[in-house]
């Protein structure tokens, strides 16, 4: 059986209604919380969906899979 090491989930805090590219990717431009303050159920959903994406995309070794958690819909959006 495959084993996966999933690094801690990070939550990026947006300063406006839409998260900017700068906030997401430029060091010091946004606020990131690691590990993300999600409850256990949400954290498990995110980790399982990331594992599923890794397998579906036929990844091997290290992979970075970015996603957004939509709190209103209680749904993960993989980008």
């Amino acid at each position: 059986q495959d084993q996966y090491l999933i690094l801690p989930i990070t939550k990026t805090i947006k300063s406006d209604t839409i998260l900017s590219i700068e906030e997401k990717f430029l060091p010091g431009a946004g606020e990131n919380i690691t590990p993300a303050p999600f409850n256990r159920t949400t954290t498990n959903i995110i980790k399982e969906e990331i594992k599923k994406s890794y397998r579906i995309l036929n990844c091997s070794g290290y992979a970075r899979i970015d996603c957004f958690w939509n709190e209103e819909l209680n749904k993960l959006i993989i980008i």
Side-chain angles (χ1 to χ4, degrees):
Q1 174 152 340
D2 294 327
Q3 293 193 8
Y4 303 93
L5 171 63
I6 299 174
L7 299 177
I9 299 167
T10 296
K11 180 176 183 176
T12 302
I13 308 300
K14 59 186 177 184
S15 62
D16 206 347
T17 55
I18 297 175
L19 178 68
S20 72
I21 290 290
E22 292 80 13
E23 288 174 312
K24 178 70 176 157
F25 295 109
L26 288 180
E31 179 184 354
N32 296 301
I33 302 170
T34 306
F38 296 126
N39 63 43
R40 186 176 302 216
T41 300
T42 300
T43 298
N44 288 339
I45 290 169
I46 293 170
K47 286 182 175 185
E48 287 304 313
E49 290 298 315
I50 292 299
K51 281 195 268 187
K52 188 182 344 177
S53 298
Y54 184 91
R55 288 192 302 268
I56 288 170
L57 294 169
N58 201 27
C59 295
S60 64
Y62 176 83
R64 174 179 169 155
I65 301 174
D66 284 347
C67 59
F68 294 101
W69 179 254
N70 185 316
E71 293 177 0
E72 293 174 11
L73 299 176
N74 207 32
K75 181 178 180 180
L76 186 69
I77 301 164
I78 296 177
I79 56 173

